[in-house]
Amino acid sequence: MTDSLRHDPAGPVLITGGYGTVGAEIARMAAVDAPVLLTGRSPERGRALAAELGGEVRAWNLGDPAPFSAGVRAVINSVNDPDDRVLRAAVTAGVPYVDITRWTARLQRAVTVAALLRPTAPVLLSSAWMGGVVSLVAASLAAELGGAERVETAVRWDMADRAGADSVEFMDRLGVGFEVVDGGRRRLAAPLTDSRSVLIGGTPVRVARIDTPEQFTLPLTLGTTTAATRIGFSSPAATRALLALRGTGFFRWAGGERWAPARRALLHSPGEGGTALLRVDVSHQGRELGATVTDPRGQSHLTAVGALLGLRRVLGTDGYPAPAGVVFPEQHPAPAHATDLLAAQGVALAVDRSACEGEAAA
């Protein structure tokens, strides 16, 4: 493969999968500040969007060895990149790069690949839940508390929401164990275990563990000794069904490609749109802060907001110098400032300080 990107500070922002469910949301946001170049396997599907945004659409099929070349300002990768083609092309060319679509194992590999290539431009691996929004919120709460020994995230997945194929592939690892840090010790966790009821946006939601990259990165960046992300569904019946299937061992014995359509049908029933809703709780030295994130435009929009904040971070247009080398979203120099920008995109962040206030009164 001889993909060849060239860094052009006056060029467009390249968005892989730029006309997909999440990519189109990113493209509309990014086009406010810069021209956009949308790529994918079927460029004809993106022509109307490119025309609407005054941008360009071109073919780049990551499963086809045909090389791709372009001069670009930055890259946002919003599709699965199993062979690291987009990552390698961007890092080799010294192009600022944001990635929002890697599960933990692939993110760990990306760290290695990027480090070996010795990047001269920022590489932001922002695949934590919702394009790194969870990590930014956790870092903001940790900054207020002075640290973060424990970070607990609970997500309510809206069954009526739109979801792209890559989002479902991200979640389709319910039969694969993953490493977590609990109480400062590393151990293997099984998906859909350790369930509990969490109040999210005023509604109790049954949630259980899922493999997400912030559970890997937060212990490295914030010194978190326990990091746990759990997910539940807007339909309690759907949550109960998944937990019951996990109990039968379905996700273990049906883990191969033969059963992939059946597994993904359980997760991929996209509707016309729903509300993205999640809660992040951080504790440090006996003090606690919680925050609820609500995006009425859904999880695709919230993920795109995370990508937009990532783009501004690697370009240094968020009011702070661009980072150097490989970084994660929670390493923002002023995470509270970053989360303040959520409101400008229609995302509500409600911080619950009652636990801290009660501790102060005591």
Side-chain angles (χ1 to χ4, degrees), residues 314-326:
V314 299
L315 291 177
T317 57
D318 59 356
Y320 300 90
V326 180

Side-chain angles (χ1 to χ4, degrees), residues 43-276:
E44 63 277 3
R45 290 176 47 206
R47 296 201 192 285
L49 178 61
E52 171 194 331
L53 301 178
E56 182 185 0
V57 61
R58 290 175 53 192
W60 191 4
N61 182 352
L62 300 183
D64 185 328
F68 179 87
S69 63
V72 297
R73 176 180 312 191
V75 171
I76 301 176
N77 184 46
S78 72
V79 297
N80 287 316
D81 184 17
D83 296 312
D84 301 309
R85 285 181 64 175
V86 183
L87 171 65
R88 291 177 185 275
V91 174
T92 300
V95 174
Y97 173 86
V98 180
D99 196 308
I100 63 165
T101 321
R102 291 177 183 268
W103 55 77
T104 306
R106 285 190 175 173
L107 180 137
Q108 291 168 331
R109 187 183 68 195
V111 172
T112 303
V113 169
L116 290 173
L117 292 173
R118 299 182 179 180
T120 57
V123 175
L124 178 60
L125 299 176
S126 198
S127 294
W129 192 259
M130 297 291 113
V133 168
V134 160
S135 295
L136 281 171
V137 172
S140 178
L141 298 178
E144 188 169 340
L145 288 172
E149 276 113 36
R150 189 177 193 93
V151 177
E152 301 264 0
T153 300
V155 177
R156 191 209 66 160
W157 179 281
D158 194 329
M159 300 291 287
D161 206 351
R162 297 179 302 136
D166 285 334
S167 298
V168 176
E169 188 173 351
F170 183 104
M171 290 180 63
D172 183 24
R173 297 176 57 74
L174 298 181
V176 182
F178 54 97
E179 188 179 85
V180 298
V181 177
D182 277 336
R185 294 174 178 262
R186 296 191 178 274
R187 68 173 180 87
L188 281 179
L192 299 180
T193 58
D194 194 15
S195 66
R196 60 191 61 184
S197 182
V198 177
L199 201 64
I200 310 177
T203 302
V205 180
R206 195 73 182 172
V207 294
R209 295 199 73 145
I210 187 173
D211 180 14
T212 54
E214 68 272 7
Q215 295 173 93
F216 164 69
T217 67
L218 293 178
L220 299 175
T221 53
L222 300 185
T224 302
T225 54
T226 295
T229 298
R230 297 177 178 87
I231 193 169
F233 296 84
S234 57
S235 164
T239 302
R240 289 195 297 270
L242 280 176
L243 293 177
L245 282 172
R246 191 270 305 169
T248 67
F250 170 81
F251 294 107
R252 290 195 305 274
W253 58 258
E257 283 303 310
R258 175 186 174 187
W259 290 93
R263 293 193 315 273
R264 293 174 187 178
L266 296 171
L267 303 169
H268 192 210
S269 54
E272 294 303 313
T275 297

